[in-house]
Amino acid sequence: MVLTWLLPGPQTNGIKTSKYNFFTFLPLNLFEQFQRIANVYFLFLLLLQVPPQNTRTTTSSGVSLSSVWESITDTAVRRVTDTWLPFKLGHFGKVTGCLLSFQADLLLLSSSEPLNLVYIETAELDGSVCVYSGCVCCEPPNNRLDHFTGTLLFGDHKFSLDNGKVLLRGCTLRNTHWCYGLVLFGGPDTKLMQNCGKNSFKRTSIDRLMNVLVLCIFGVLALMCAILAVGNYLWEINKGYQFNIFLPREDDSGGASLSAFLTFWSYVIILNTVVPISLYVSVEIIRLGNSFYIDWDRKMYDARSDTPAEARTTTLNEELGQIKYIFSDKTGTLTQNIMTFNKCTINGKTYGERELDEFKLNSWDVVDFSFNPLADPKFSFYDHSLVEAVKLGIPEVQGFFRLLALCHTVMAEEKSKDQLAYQAQSPDEGALVTAARNFGFVFRSRTPESITIMEMGKQQRYELLAILDFDNVRKRMSVIVRSPEGKVSLYCKGADSVIFERLNPSCRKLMEVTTEHLNEFAGDGLRTLALAYKDVDEDFFSRWKQQHHKASTALENREAQLDQLFEEIETDLLLLGATAIEDKLQDGVPQTIEQLAKADIKIWVLTGDKQETAENIGYSCNLLREEMNDVFIVSGNTPEEVKQQLSPVYDPVHPIIPQAYALEEAMELEFLWTACMCQAVICCRVTPLQKAQVVELVKKYKKAVTLAIGDGANDVSMIKAAHIGVGISGQEGMQAVSSSDYSFAQFRFLQRLLLVHGRWSYLRMCKFLRYFFYKNFTFTFVHFWFAFFCGFSAQTVYDEWFITLYNLVYTALPVLGLSLFDQDVNDAWSFQHPQLYVPGQLNLYFSKMAFFKCALHSGFSSLVLFFIPYAAMSDSMRQDGKDLGDYQSFAVVTQTCLLFTVCIQLSLEMSYWTAVNTLFIVGSLLLYFGVTFTMYSNGLFRLFPSAFSFIGTARNTLNQSNVWLTILLTSILCVLPVLTYRFLTILLWPTINDKVMFKARQAKAAPPPPSKRTRIRRGSSRRSGYAFSHAQGYGELVTSRRFLRRPAVSHSSHFTPMKSTSSFIPMGRSAGYSPTDGPHNAKAQGVEGTSLQMYRIIQDQTL
Amino acid sequence: MSKEENTANRPDNTAFTQQRLPAWQPMLSAGIVIPGFVIIGVAFIGIGVALFVTSQNIQVLEKDYTGIETNSSCFKCTNPRVKNCNCTINFSLDKLFEGPVFVYYGLSNYFQNYRKYGASKDAAQLTGDLAYFTEPSTSCVPYQRDAKNKPIVPCGSIANSMFNDTFKLFQIVNSGNVAVPLDGKGIAWWTDYNIKYRNPTTNPLKNAFNDTVKPIFWPRPAYELDTTNAANNGFINQDFLVWMRRSALPNFRKLYRRITEGEYAKGLPAGDYALVIGYNYPVKAFDGRKKVVFSNVSWMGGKNQFLGIAYLVIGSLCVVMSIVMLIVYAKFKFPDEE
């Protein structure tokens, strides 16, 4: 790990993301290591072998091995990726340059922009801005992003500071050259970091299970040793003491009791091979290997951003095969956060349908906008008829685009001639204005009183009379403008349901047609807005204007009065048409979600977005499906309301219930209970910390393995909270990636990560553990049986060299080969049958039961391994008449039997024999014979007579036919029952794996048929959300008297444009600007920020 | 160029990194398992029959001479106060005991496999290293030094407890007793005799043992173990080597002599025999048994019924299991469709 060498304390702004520093390494690391019970055990064994009384020389070398390993991998993987500015508390900072992120929470003092507006790109929160300077008193650091209280003392004046005046760490400066800020919180005190959740030490469920098992093993070990100690006691009393002439012992002190006591500890040392250190080393190697496979996978490599997948943590792989819950961020993860103007319906005619050209299947025929010098080159549209219609000057079509060019709150910036950049408060709006721009209605600039647009190459200036701003209740916005000809018109866009209510009766027919089209759009998962206009009578307007002025200056009831006025004028509208915007999903998202759903993984989307947006995306990415009717939304703001709204969920017939929910402790369980019955859950308007809370909730009560995936700083907390955190890499902002365990560039790679890598890792790990325990139990239990025949004297069965090398050399590589190469079916079949993933979620491959079976199997094998050689060698002779039953020969025969047995057993486990596996197995056996013959050779004995006392045993024993017959009998007898059991199990109770394997083997070389990737198209019964994703309050901003006119071409000489493009670029999150005065913002937050809305779907009856 | 740059991070496309290594993917299908069981079964039955028949043809004659029963001739020798006790066991063979015949002594309830017993020797001393003659390893305790603190050579429990009964075999013919020559050469492992155990190069051997004492239970020092053959003394005495190769199990037999010479090379002819035993070794204290065993061997070594029977049983079980599996398979054929 990189040791961040920083002074502690609140002054510094550094953030430490590595696990240890120089001083804390030892205590922290020790603590973490000893969370692994086995490490305590190894330490204990090490100490036990120190006293010379117990003369066993079994090697257990060092408890720190796995510790060292982990710190190495930690060093390699977790790098500190944070660069930070040397901000200190109380400093004034000037932030310059585009796309520069704030590295501390700042109190905004002034900026380069008029009105001290600051355009920021919010990483996870809604915007914030302010002015002033002085002495600041504020709240202590906390994690509430939407809340800030403080006071500024400036001279005699006292100003209150709120959320709107603070720039938070993680936000990016956009379109603003510089700003001055006072650092309020730095480093770990920033709201972002406070929201990040704490770094926890992640352990896989297998690790935790292993802890339990290791404890059980210790229990069994202690029991076995106790039995043997008692045996020794009895033996000493009944036999040993009689045998005293030939076997003198120190019976002067303690006698049998002392002997039994010493025997106990001797057997603890001998039998400790049930859990050898090599187990943990191998586990880490396997995880590392499987992590490398993830790094190496070309199918998880994104060519566009040149980003391969990365396993940043190497210790969690098998957990990837057990995921039950996925918590996904929306923006940037599921969606690209790119809105495209996809279709529209104008006056009853739809445009934008992509005609599948029979001759040019692969290339869509993109509309050429070269007629328009101001067109955005990035915009593409595929329906030529619309551009023809514009060119022909059809009034409805022109009106349609005129509306789009006029009715919005976008700001334009003309950096140079023909270089327009839009600053849209929501990407939807940006997309609409950009569409109008390309179709010849270019929005060029605005002042508080006017909007200048180019209409088919002709500059027109509309007088902006009023903006009837958007809010969540109105679900529409309108502008009232006076055209250059002097006509007053109202242009309105909004949710179709709202607009349709306010149409002139003459539009009924058009409304029906449009509704049909809207349904169609909704079926494609597009976000729609209905557009309408009306010409306003001059007299009526002037009267209205007066009333409006009165209302907007009223002291009481202003809001209600304004609403009333807006209602009054927004009537009798004439429908123009509707737009359909596609919130572009990342590639392959619906397919991935479908696959994951088939694998019985529950996907919860946690987003900060509004309910409508979230719901819409839920449909378009196939998370919510048409057959899940009855979307039930719970959006109570008080505990009572939520409780009431939750209650109908208890009726299991209702298939779907989305809901809003305040995460209060009292209702945690109720919420979880209902949410977990659902197939999909969407939580909206959640703060980063709430995301983590939801994850923690599921972790706590469901005991399921969770995965969180996200791309932004707002996802850090849930990424850290979940068992597995996945970061989307290859984009700006490395916050999510640097705290994640795995990262890749595209959401769709998740299915490969889970269904292929995760499943294989889990399968391999389980096979490994089952086999490893089997081989070591078998190895060890033989000692136990032998004890009954050697006076419980702690005599080992095998040569001590064999004991040392068994785990280290003879059986190390084959089992590693198994757990690095094994696959039941290849990746294509894994995708074909996502159900293969289910056993992992249910812990079927390695559980206490599987472990118990393992132990039973070992018990059987060890009995065979001891008693067959016993019976075959007792009172038996060699071909030359010499006796066969000497200890060394017996040891050689038994250990050879053992090695053959475990090798054959391994071969049975293996379902994927590569050349490497064969090499490992055959090589290990050959190595065994090579090493054995070498170690029992004359030369080595001459060098170290006492170390190699088995001289000649191999030669003298392994040349006997009956010895080989014994080995054959033993190995076959150990395997036959297993073979029978497996065969019959496959026949009688085949698992999903067996079935798919069988199918795959039948198909042999032929790959599985490619899964049908049909375009998912929903029915049309549901209306998708309207395309407003921004907060209210901007209408007022753009008409504000304080809003200064900006030069058409500004600062082009010394201004580096962001990304040097003229178009609206909806990168990152919603690029927003904030009003100078915060009430609107605060109000929006007050209404929605505190509640957490969510959608949920109860398990479909058909599934 | 730019294309290369763009894909600089693209992982290598190798079978290994993409986990596409060619592999054999066996499955436990009926086509493999059932015939496999039949083949194993038949083979095992074949081996079993061969082993069983061979084992049946091996002749073994066991004679317990512990002298527990008061009427047995060796009963008198069980009294530890009786020194140099001889007893005789008579037996008769009604047919030729085919040669070469091997003579074993057997001990039961004797724990040569006790850990401390096994460790109680000095491997370096036994290679003839004189340094360890004066300083035997502490592993030999309590047979490291005698009461006068003189080093014991060879030290340790194993050596000390060396079996010291002697056997002489006579065929009783009309003319009297004819001694059957017992050959004690080459009864130990070649490696033990030539590598593992070495006498010191001192000449005469006796001098090497200066300032040492013989093991407490031994009647004579190591260099006088074989009074008839000077070369068969010290640590390479064949009987000593056989004893030092400790047994794995509490009941064991060890090779004592071979009958390979003269007219008895072809075996012991039918007739009456007398086995004269020099009874020295006490076993009564721990309920041990001593026996003498005559046996001949075959290609599979000595008589062992177990292997043959085990092969037969397991072979038959395999065949039975294959039939059971066949029935199950026929009934629950693996579903072709899911």
Side-chain angles (χ1 to χ4, degrees):
Chain A
M1 89 234 55
V2 180
L3 299 174
T4 42
W5 196 257
L6 291 171
L7 285 172
Q11 283 88 358
T12 54
N13 191 36
I15 289 171
K16 186 171 70 78
T17 43
S18 73
K19 228 159 45 176
Y20 315 112
N21 70 26
F22 188 78
F23 296 113
T24 58
F25 175 75
L26 200 63
L28 273 185
N29 186 269
L30 276 183
F31 174 72
E32 280 172 0
Q33 286 307 315
F34 288 125
Q35 283 187 331
R36 203 177 248 176
I37 289 168
N39 282 339
V40 183
Y41 167 72
F42 291 138
L43 182 69
F44 172 68
L45 280 177
L46 202 69
L47 295 177
L48 207 59
Q49 286 170 66
V50 174
Q53 185 66 42
N54 295 313
T55 48
R56 301 262 54 82
T57 55
T58 354
T59 48
S60 316
S61 50
V63 64
S64 54
L65 227 134
S66 71
S67 154
V68 170
W69 177 261
E70 247 172 47
S71 43
I72 290 169
T73 51
D74 184 62
T75 309
V77 174
R78 273 188 200 272
R79 287 165 290 234
V80 177
T81 47
D82 255 329
T83 54
W84 48 279
L85 296 176
F87 279 158
K88 289 197 174 180
L89 183 66
H91 279 201
F92 290 92
K94 181 184 181 187
V95 183
T96 54
C98 278
L99 293 176
L100 186 64
S101 302
F102 300 127
Q103 300 294 339
D105 291 351
L106 303 176
L107 176 66
L108 181 73
L109 302 176
S110 85
S111 85
S112 63
E113 298 302 290
L115 260 186
N116 288 316
L117 276 172
V118 174
Y119 299 95
I120 53 171
E121 180 184 291
T122 51
E124 73 291 323
L125 26 128
D126 291 333
S128 38
V129 169
C130 182
V131 223
Y132 314 122
S133 71
C135 166
V136 180
C137 306
C138 66
E139 61 186 3
N142 62 41
N143 57 28
R144 295 187 57 190
L145 292 172
D146 54 345
H147 179 85
F148 176 82
T149 52
T151 48
L152 173 77
L153 290 169
F154 184 63
D156 294 335
H157 300 277
K158 196 170 170 184
F159 301 94
S160 75
L161 302 179
D162 63 22
N163 197 35
K165 302 176 178 68
V166 181
L167 304 175
L168 300 186
R169 183 189 174 111
C171 300
T172 310
L173 195 61
R174 292 285 288 269
N175 202 27
T176 304
H177 308 153
W178 52 262
C179 69
Y180 279 105
L182 174 72
V183 179
L184 295 175
F185 302 122
D189 291 340
T190 55
K191 296 207 180 240
L192 180 72
M193 293 319 284
Q194 293 268 325
N195 242 305
C196 274
K198 58 174 190 289
N199 263 325
S200 56
F201 192 61
K202 287 186 181 177
R203 281 244 166 275
T204 66
S205 48
I206 292 255
D207 269 326
R208 289 188 290 276
L209 177 63
M210 288 259 284
N211 265 355
V212 176
L213 291 183
V214 166
L215 270 183
C216 293
I217 292 171
F218 296 161
V220 172
L221 184 65
L223 183 71
M224 279 165 60
C225 292
I227 291 172
L228 295 175
V230 170
N232 182 263
Y233 180 81
L234 296 176
W235 188 87
E236 292 288 342
I237 284 178
N238 294 323
K239 291 199 172 170
Y241 115 95
Q242 296 174 332
F243 199 56
N244 222 358
I245 9 165
F246 297 128
L247 269 185
R249 67 216 71 210
E250 310 84 26
D251 52 357
D252 38 89
S253 58
S257 319
L258 178 69
S259 168
F261 178 76
L262 292 178
T263 301
F264 180 85
W265 295 112
S266 301
Y267 270 113
V268 166
I269 294 172
I270 288 183
L271 301 181
N272 81 60
T273 43
V274 281
V275 188
I277 282 183
S278 65
L279 168 67
Y280 287 90
V281 177
S282 307
V283 163
E284 296 301 333
I285 292 175
I286 291 162
R287 285 173 176 164
L288 186 70
N290 282 309
S291 304
F292 275 125
Y293 283 134
I294 293 172
D295 294 349
W296 288 335
D297 196 336
R298 277 165 78 94
K299 288 178 183 154
M300 284 167 61
Y301 163 82
D302 183 44
R304 252 176 298 172
S305 56
D306 189 28
T307 320
E310 190 189 357
R312 304 174 53 84
T313 309
T314 57
T315 56
L316 300 172
N317 295 48
E318 74 271 7
E319 194 110 302
L320 290 174
Q322 301 188 275
I323 305 292
K324 184 74 189 164
Y325 288 90
I326 291 179
F327 299 94
S328 175
D329 176 41
K330 186 189 80 71
T331 316
T333 306
L334 296 177
T335 65
Q336 302 177 4
N337 203 25
I338 294 177
M339 305 288 169
T340 52
F341 179 79
N342 202 300
K343 284 179 187 174
C344 60
T345 166
I346 303 172
N347 201 21
K349 183 173 181 341
T350 48
Y351 299 93
E353 200 63 58
R354 290 187 186 191
E355 301 282 330
L356 248 185
D357 195 327
E358 285 158 44
F359 305 104
K360 298 186 245 172
L361 266 177
N362 292 323
S363 63
W364 302 104
D365 204 1
V366 180
V367 172
D368 180 20
F369 287 109
S370 57
F371 70 90
N372 179 0
L374 284 167
D376 181 353
K378 289 211 171 142
F379 181 86
S380 45
F381 200 75
Y382 303 93
D383 193 342
H384 293 269
S385 57
L386 184 57
V387 85
E388 294 307 319
V390 175
K391 282 180 181 166
L392 284 173
I394 297 173
E396 287 85 1
V397 176
Q398 294 212 340
F400 180 88
F401 287 114
R402 186 176 296 119
L403 189 153
L404 290 183
L406 290 174
C407 179
H408 56 77
T409 57
V410 172
M411 306 259 214
E413 182 181 19
E414 207 158 348
K415 290 162 193 157
S416 61
K417 187 130 179 63
D418 300 347
Q419 288 269 301
L420 268 178
Y422 290 149
Q423 289 300 329
Q425 194 255 337
S426 76
D428 315 61
E429 259 203 330
L432 291 177
V433 179
T434 307
R437 165 181 171 181
N438 277 46
F439 283 102
F441 287 78
V442 188
F443 165 63
R444 294 203 74 152
S445 65
R446 72 155 76 238
T447 67
E449 303 89 13
S450 70
I451 297 172
T452 310
I453 62 173
M454 296 280 281
E455 278 183 18
M456 303 308 289
K458 207 166 77 192
Q459 181 139 338
Q460 301 273 32
R461 187 167 173 278
Y462 284 83
E463 193 184 333
L464 183 58
L465 300 173
I467 289 187
L468 284 57
D469 200 7
F470 169 85
D471 77 29
N472 279 329
V473 183
R474 283 165 43 77
K475 294 185 179 175
R476 63 189 184 271
M477 80 168 283
S478 305
V479 290
I480 302 172
V481 294
R482 194 193 303 278
S483 67
E485 294 86 42
K487 207 166 68 178
V488 178
S489 310
L490 179 140
Y491 292 101
C492 178
K493 65 177 181 183
D496 44 30
S497 54
V498 179
I499 300 286
F500 288 176
E501 283 171 17
R502 290 166 179 78
L503 289 183
N504 186 298
S506 64
C507 294
R508 175 166 299 277
K509 195 124 191 255
L510 177 59
M511 191 176 97
E512 275 164 20
V513 181
T514 307
T515 307
E516 232 168 74
H517 292 159
L518 281 173
N519 288 340
E520 235 170 73
F521 297 157
D524 291 340
L526 304 175
R527 286 154 65 159
T528 56
L529 271 185
L531 311 183
Y533 80 105
K534 82 182 228 188
D535 291 327
V536 183
D537 182 54
E538 187 77 44
D539 298 338
F540 174 76
F541 177 72
S542 50
R543 252 180 292 128
W544 184 86
K545 184 79 189 165
Q546 280 171 5
Q547 279 175 317
H548 179 240
H549 183 72
K550 215 165 88 189
S552 55
T553 51
L555 291 173
E556 276 171 18
N557 239 354
R558 177 163 43 173
E559 301 273 312
Q561 286 187 34
L562 279 175
D563 275 351
Q564 181 62 37
L565 272 174
F566 290 174
E567 283 289 337
E568 236 170 70
I569 199 162
E570 284 169 333
T571 50
D572 268 348
L573 302 175
L574 297 169
L575 186 62
L576 271 173
T579 59
I581 283 187
E582 188 184 359
D583 188 356
K584 269 207 158 166
L585 293 177
Q586 300 275 3
D587 295 341
V589 166
Q591 290 85 351
T592 304
I593 286 182
E594 196 187 349
Q595 280 280 78
L596 294 177
K598 275 191 202 157
D600 206 16
I601 299 173
K602 315 260 170 161
I603 300 163
W604 293 25
V605 174
L606 310 181
T607 174
D609 275 348
K610 297 196 315 174
Q611 180 189 313
E612 287 82 6
T613 322
E615 195 180 339
N616 204 344
I617 288 299
Y619 276 98
S620 61
C621 68
N622 215 21
L623 188 62
L624 308 177
R625 281 187 295 276
E626 200 51 47
E627 64 264 23
M628 308 170 178
N629 39 354
D630 283 351
V631 176
F632 187 88
I633 302 165
V634 181
S635 53
N637 289 321
T638 63
E640 291 73 30
E641 266 181 77
V642 174
K643 201 160 195 164
Q644 205 179 2
Q645 283 169 316
L646 274 172
S647 49
V649 179
Y650 292 104
D651 180 4
V653 187
H654 279 282
I656 312 153
I657 301 113
Q659 65 179 50
Y661 176 72
L663 266 180
E664 301 198 6
E665 262 181 49
M667 269 176 304
E668 264 183 10
L669 272 174
E670 232 165 300
F671 159 67
L672 193 72
W673 193 85
T674 45
C676 286
M677 293 198 331
C678 310
Q679 209 179 353
V681 178
I682 301 175
C683 306
C684 39
R685 293 217 71 86
V686 287
T687 65
L689 207 63
Q690 278 173 318
K691 287 185 177 184
Q693 273 178 321
V694 173
V695 175
E696 292 286 357
L697 195 61
V698 173
K699 262 171 81 176
K700 190 169 154 197
Y701 292 108
K702 293 302 284 185
K703 303 267 179 285
V705 183
T706 56
L707 178 145
I709 179 167
D711 70 318
N714 57 336
D715 307 316
V716 169
S717 62
M718 74 170 177
I719 283 175
K720 282 182 180 167
H723 291 104
I724 305 275
V726 178
I728 299 286
S729 56
Q731 298 169 350
E732 313 160 30
M734 290 295 287
Q735 290 270 16
V737 171
S738 57
S739 54
S740 68
D741 304 308
Y742 298 90
S743 68
F744 43 71
Q746 290 282 329
F747 179 79
R748 72 190 139 97
F749 295 154
L750 188 62
Q751 61 171 326
R752 194 169 172 82
L753 183 74
L754 299 187
L755 300 185
V756 177
H757 289 286
R759 206 174 68 78
W760 281 348
S761 290
Y762 175 67
L763 184 79
R764 288 166 183 172
M765 184 57 73
C766 293
K767 274 193 174 183
F768 167 81
L769 289 175
R770 284 201 311 247
Y771 174 73
F772 200 92
F773 279 124
Y774 168 76
K775 95 177 161 70
N776 274 57
F777 284 3
T778 308
F779 170 76
T780 309
F781 287 169
V782 177
H783 292 306
F784 183 77
W785 308 125
F786 186 54
F788 290 88
F789 297 89
C790 67
F792 307 94
S793 61
Q795 173 68 53
T796 56
V797 179
Y798 322 107
D799 175 17
E800 277 175 4
W801 282 108
F802 179 78
I803 294 175
T804 309
L805 297 179
Y806 177 71
N807 276 319
L808 228 57
V809 178
Y810 301 143
T811 58
L813 284 182
V815 69
L816 276 185
L818 168 81
S819 36
L820 288 177
F821 297 109
D822 202 60
Q823 36 184 284
D824 49 356
V825 288
N826 64 20
D827 49 351
W829 283 96
S830 301
F831 282 133
Q832 183 73 13
H833 297 273
Q835 307 91 306
L836 284 171
Y837 193 79
V838 177
Q841 297 168 334
L842 303 174
N843 277 318
L844 287 187
Y845 296 156
F846 189 72
S847 57
K848 283 175 194 152
M849 190 60 207
F851 174 78
F852 182 69
K853 274 189 195 164
C854 241
L856 269 189
H857 182 198
S858 298
F860 168 77
S861 290
S862 61
L863 277 173
V864 170
L865 278 168
F866 178 71
F867 284 101
I868 299 271
Y870 171 95
M873 294 180 74
S874 69
D875 284 350
S876 198
M877 279 82 98
R878 296 148 50 89
Q879 282 151 274
D880 57 6
K882 292 164 190 167
D883 52 288
L884 186 64
D886 68 285
Y887 166 72
Q888 294 188 336
S889 299
F890 184 75
V892 168
V893 172
T894 319
Q895 65 202 35
T896 311
C897 288
L898 173 73
L899 213 59
F900 272 105
T901 303
V902 295
C903 280
I904 295 173
Q905 187 63 39
L906 181 77
S907 318
L908 272 186
E909 295 288 340
M910 205 129 63
S911 44
Y912 196 79
W913 277 81
T914 64
V916 186
N917 292 105
T918 316
L919 182 77
F920 280 175
I921 291 185
V922 175
S924 286
L925 277 175
L926 291 180
L927 190 73
Y928 164 71
F929 286 110
V931 169
T932 306
F933 276 95
T934 310
M935 279 204 305
Y936 299 171
S937 67
N938 307 345
L940 272 179
F941 177 79
R942 287 204 181 100
L943 289 175
F944 310 100
S946 42
F948 299 99
S949 64
F950 269 61
I951 170 173
T953 315
R955 270 174 282 173
N956 282 304
T957 307
L958 296 177
N959 62 359
Q960 298 298 311
S961 53
N962 52 353
V963 163
W964 283 104
L965 285 174
T966 309
I967 293 171
L968 176 70
L969 180 70
T970 313
S971 340
I972 296 286
L973 185 57
C974 280
V975 173
L976 279 182
V978 184
L979 217 58
T980 315
Y981 173 77
R982 296 240 170 118
F983 178 74
L984 291 180
T985 319
I986 291 176
L987 267 188
L988 298 175
W989 304 281
T991 61
I992 175 78
N993 297 62
D994 297 329
K995 286 178 188 166
V996 177
M997 273 167 84
F998 184 76
K999 226 167 137 182
R1001 305 295 185 272
Q1002 295 250 305
K1004 211 68 184 178
S1011 53
K1012 289 154 211 117
R1013 292 283 148 109
T1014 46
R1015 183 167 157 77
I1016 297 148
R1017 203 186 165 98
R1018 310 196 316 268
S1020 53
S1021 65
R1022 213 200 65 88
R1023 173 59 43 81
S1024 54
Y1026 56 94
F1028 262 126
S1029 59
H1030 61 250
Q1032 67 203 78
Y1034 297 93
E1036 187 172 345
L1037 176 72
V1038 294
T1039 54
S1040 161
R1041 292 289 144 202
R1042 291 179 291 168
F1043 180 80
L1044 301 180
R1045 194 163 307 169
R1046 303 185 60 202
V1049 178
S1050 65
H1051 313 296
S1052 54
S1053 51
H1054 58 92
F1055 182 76
T1056 320
M1058 47 175 231
K1059 289 264 166 166
S1060 68
T1061 162
S1062 62
S1063 67
F1064 163 71
I1065 329 165
M1067 60 176 81
R1069 311 285 153 142
S1070 49
Y1073 47 82
S1074 305
T1076 42
D1077 47 356
H1080 296 290
N1081 212 4
K1083 179 187 161 205
Q1085 297 286 356
V1087 169
E1088 302 200 339
T1090 51
S1091 73
L1092 167 65
Q1093 299 173 358
M1094 55 189 356
Y1095 305 73
R1096 53 188 290 282
I1097 289 88
I1098 290 188
Q1099 182 83 35
D1100 205 290
Q1101 298 295 316
T1102 55
L1103 287 173
Chain B
M1 180 62 201
S2 68
K3 188 143 196 211
E4 266 170 42
E5 260 174 11
N6 287 341
T7 58
N9 293 324
R10 184 198 288 268
D12 294 337
N13 187 13
T14 65
F16 170 59
T17 55
Q18 304 307 312
Q19 306 199 60
R20 281 188 275 104
L21 285 177
W24 175 52
Q25 293 172 273
M27 211 190 160
L28 289 181
S29 63
I32 298 171
V33 176
I34 296 175
F37 266 66
V38 172
I39 290 170
I40 292 176
V42 169
F44 270 36
I45 290 173
I47 296 172
V49 167
L51 282 174
F52 189 75
V53 170
T54 313
S55 186
Q56 287 296 50
N57 291 333
I58 296 172
Q59 292 161 290
V60 176
L61 180 72
E62 272 191 36
K63 288 287 165 192
D64 189 312
Y65 69 96
T66 323
I68 301 296
E69 296 85 10
T70 45
N71 58 0
S72 80
S73 67
C74 289
F75 177 68
K76 58 179 180 184
C77 299
T78 53
N79 188 336
R81 273 165 301 185
V82 178
K83 298 284 172 200
N84 299 324
C85 177
N86 280 330
C87 58
T88 306
I89 286 184
N90 293 312
F91 62 92
S92 58
L93 300 171
D94 43 15
K95 61 172 185 176
L96 175 71
F97 201 108
E98 273 180 46
V101 178
F102 297 87
V103 184
Y104 304 85
Y105 59 87
L107 290 170
S108 58
N109 210 14
Y110 194 108
F111 288 84
Q112 263 204 318
N113 58 8
Y114 197 85
R115 181 171 64 84
K116 283 185 188 156
Y117 178 91
S120 184
K121 63 173 185 178
D122 187 341
Q125 189 187 61
L126 295 170
T127 55
D129 191 334
L130 284 173
Y132 295 88
F133 275 49
T134 47
E135 277 298 326
S137 157
T138 50
S139 61
C140 289
V141 173
Y143 299 114
Q144 185 194 17
R145 293 170 183 279
D146 71 349
K148 291 175 193 147
N149 206 26
K150 283 205 164 182
I152 297 172
V153 179
C155 72
S157 287
I158 314 181
N160 188 53
S161 61
M162 184 178 157
F163 186 76
N164 56 3
D165 282 0
T166 55
F167 306 98
K168 284 184 182 120
L169 183 62
F170 298 96
Q171 186 181 17
I172 303 167
V173 289
N174 299 335
S175 51
N177 290 355
V178 178
V180 178
L182 300 180
D183 174 14
K185 282 194 213 92
I187 56 172
W189 285 12
W190 184 92
T191 43
D192 287 353
Y193 184 73
N194 290 294
I195 316 283
K196 194 171 176 183
Y197 296 88
R198 303 306 308 145
N199 278 330
T201 46
T202 322
N203 205 5
L205 182 60
K206 184 178 187 297
N207 291 352
F209 289 82
N210 289 340
D211 294 323
T212 67
V213 293
K214 66 180 174 58
I216 289 156
F217 290 2
W218 286 19
R220 294 185 298 275
Y223 49 89
E224 285 171 5
L225 278 175
D226 190 345
T227 46
T228 56
N229 180 2
N232 189 25
N233 269 317
F235 302 148
I236 56 168
N237 174 277
Q238 295 279 344
D239 290 323
F240 179 69
L241 293 178
V242 168
W243 180 255
M244 291 302 283
R245 182 149 286 280
R246 66 196 182 100
S247 164
L249 298 163
N251 300 332
F252 58 89
R253 37 171 96 149
K254 288 183 180 293
L255 185 56
Y256 181 68
R257 293 291 183 265
R258 293 183 293 180
I259 302 172
T260 52
E261 288 166 28
E263 51 195 298
Y264 295 103
K266 286 188 181 139
L268 296 173
D272 294 327
Y273 291 85
L275 183 70
V276 180
I277 298 152
Y279 195 112
N280 303 312
Y281 204 71
V283 293
K284 218 181 156 189
F286 56 92
D287 280 339
R289 286 285 189 281
K290 299 195 285 189
K291 61 189 175 188
V292 68
V293 182
F294 297 89
S295 173
N296 49 23
V297 295
S298 69
W299 61 270
M300 59 160 282
K303 189 180 186 80
N304 188 313
Q305 302 280 37
F306 169 79
L307 264 186
I309 293 170
Y311 266 101
L312 280 175
V313 168
I314 293 164
S316 321
L317 273 180
C318 279
V319 174
V320 170
M321 273 324 292
S322 64
I323 294 167
V324 171
M325 286 183 200
L326 196 65
I327 294 167
V328 173
Y329 176 69
K331 270 201 143 180
F332 302 88
K333 201 162 182 179
F334 202 87
D336 273 338
E337 80 291 350
E338 220 172 284

